[in-house]
Amino acid sequence: MPLLTRLMSAAIICCLSALAWADKPGIPGQCPALDVADDSARHHLMDYVCYHSAEPEDGAHRAASPQELPESLAWTPADGHDLVFSHTESVYWLKLQLDNSGKTRGLWYLELDYPLLDEVTFWTSTRDGTTRRLATGDQYPFASRGIDYRYFLLPVTLGVQEQLQVTIRIRSSGALNVPLSLETPAEVISTSNHLTLTHGLFYGALAIFAAFNLLLFFSSGTVYYFYNAFYMAAMGLFLFAMGGFANQYFWPESAGFANTSIPLALGLCALAMTLFGRSFLEVRPDTLANTTLNAQAWFCIVFLALTFILPYNKTIILNTVLALSVIASLLISAGIRWRQGYQPAIWYLLSWMVMLAGALIYALAAFGYLADFLARESLMQVTIGGQVILLNYAMVQRWRLLNQKLLEVEHKARTQLEFKVHQRTSQLRNAMRELEKANRKLAALSLNDPLTGLYNRRHLDNILPELCAEARRTGQPLTLALIDADRFKAVNDTWGHGFGDTCLQLIADILTRHVKRPRDIAIRFGGEEFAVLLPGADNDGARKVCQAILDELRNTPLDTPDGKTLTMTLSAGVAEFAAPEDQSTLFRRADDALYQAKASGRDRVEIAEPELTDWGAPATQ
């Protein structure tokens, strides 16, 4: 028991000593040196960093270089923790000793991954007393960083067995996050590539959603689409500024606007959220929710004006509180509208619940109450991505609800109208049916021959120029055959026009059976005159088709009205299209060939000769 008592007493004394040591503001002396050749040591950089918080009455607060620091300055080891400080007037000094025990000279980058610092000054000192200084920060033009990167990079070159001391002075009007890392160029590039891909996907998707909603607004005139696009653009601008991209790409020479842009974008977000929520939730004008949202909108406008008047450390707090208040009020309004039966409000409510959780965590990190700002930035991007998806789904549900109501109203109106005018609409439907039949007949008559069912002359005039142009363009053959019934006038004179019509219908049936390829066309363009268009067929092919038609008609006897038997014959003239002739020349050559067939004894097929050129040779394609 006495042994146990002594052990417990010793443990209590050790704990009290440790607590007393931890309560000390700092421990004078040297920080442990970091071997840059040791990857494990570099990945635990914060184990080698010491810092000092210099309040305004502290002598280190007025120091402008490491040489002006008091020799008795108390340095506090970071002990592996990220350095995170809420808003303060203090100046922060950091110290890091670097050694290179490797066998080669190397280059590393000391990276400070927090872009929203007003003043960051680096000093590097070697054993021989050589000191180099790099002064940068948001209060300097972006080019002062030396390296075109949104974070602060300090190149560190160490030779074999060389030692280097890095001292950093940081002052900012807002909260301070000091996430330090020491990386090789390859590691910096790899990390930058991953972040570029992530940010590119996020901002690209946000821009696409904003543009899509803007197009919906222009096409439909629905105002909440515009407010949603406004909100996504403002939120994208806010995160762009918080991430250091706006300072890098939008206003690199406007150091004074770098800080102002952040509360300004946040105020625009709050205004856009208010306008979009009031429009989307269809808040009634005579309700407390509408009065509250209107007041919030005016507050947003006033706070936007104050952004250009008050200092950054005041406006960022005011606008952050304003944005969180807007989110909270929108949550309450959405819950009320959902309880009132407005179904799309549930998705709107879920989206803002997600947003509120992410915004609180991001705000705590931005104000220095949570470490690992980069992780919080990624969480905020995921939060906004989820919110944008839920908001757009809520708009889809709202559109579906409105469409359903519209259909119900339309159905009710149609039912009432049909009930009142049933008799008149019945007459109108009958008249419309007769008119539709007449229109169909008229359309058929305009392009078809009413007796034979074949296409008529109008269709020939329409299609022949197109086929000639196609043959001229592609070089494929096109053949026109003109077919005429022999001595048809005698048939009409002897047995009458009724029997003549029967003969024409027989000829049309024979043409239809032989002109059977999908693009072949049979036409009656007048009296006993017929035409056949054969795309893709040359003279030989057309001759075979025409000869088969002539043979079938010749071998098909007809019984005349007086009991006799009539054998009819046809004559055909064939012309193959030859560029550069036009459709009129082609038709004339086919007609000349038909005339030649008639003159040569009828019941035969004649092929037209090609036109002669100026030199007496046939024109070729």
Side-chain angles (χ1 to χ4, degrees), residues 390-443:
L390 288 172
L391 280 179
N392 282 272
Y393 185 75
M395 288 191 293
V396 170
Q397 293 301 313
R398 185 181 188 275
W399 177 86
R400 184 186 62 81
L401 181 62
L402 292 176
N403 190 54
Q404 183 178 353
K405 290 181 179 179
L406 180 62
L407 290 176
E408 291 175 356
V409 171
E410 183 182 0
H411 177 71
K412 183 177 180 180
R414 185 186 298 112
T415 302
Q416 293 176 351
L417 181 63
E418 290 177 354
F419 178 76
K420 292 179 180 179
V421 296
H422 174 72
Q423 293 180 346
R424 293 183 181 179
T425 53
S426 177
Q427 297 174 357
L428 180 60
R429 284 195 297 269
N430 292 334
M432 291 297 293
R433 281 195 293 268
E434 294 300 325
L435 180 60
E436 185 178 357
K437 291 180 182 178
N439 286 335
R440 285 199 296 266
K441 290 181 180 179
L442 182 61

Side-chain angles (χ1 to χ4, degrees), residues 537-554:
D538 56 10
N539 282 332
D540 292 337
R543 180 196 297 273
K544 293 178 181 178
V545 173
C546 293
Q547 192 61 53
I549 293 171
L550 269 60
D551 292 344
E552 182 173 349
L553 181 63
R554 188 188 317 108

Side-chain angles (χ1 to χ4, degrees), residues 237-295:
L237 178 61
F238 170 68
L239 290 181
F240 212 63
M242 286 291 291
F245 293 109
N247 192 20
Q248 181 179 6
Y249 295 110
F250 289 171
W251 37 80
E253 300 299 326
S254 302
F257 191 68
N259 281 342
T260 305
S261 63
I262 297 174
L264 180 65
L266 187 56
L268 290 174
C269 286
L271 178 61
M273 287 188 289
T274 303
L275 296 176
F276 173 69
R278 185 181 62 182
S279 176
F280 178 83
L281 293 174
E282 297 181 356
V283 179
R284 298 184 181 91
D286 55 345
T287 60
L288 178 61
N290 183 67
T291 303
T292 303
L293 292 176
N294 283 338

Side-chain angles (χ1 to χ4, degrees), residues 491 494-496 499 502-503 557-568:
V491 173
T494 304
W495 293 286
F499 180 69
T502 302
C503 296
L558 286 166
D559 295 330
T560 63
D562 56 4
K564 296 181 180 179
T565 300
L566 172 66
T567 299
M568 292 188 65

Side-chain angles (χ1 to χ4, degrees), residues 125-140:
S125 303
T126 59
R127 286 181 178 178
D128 58 7
T130 302
T131 301
R132 293 183 179 179
R133 177 177 176 270
L134 174 64
T136 183
D138 281 353
Q139 297 304 309
Y140 294 83

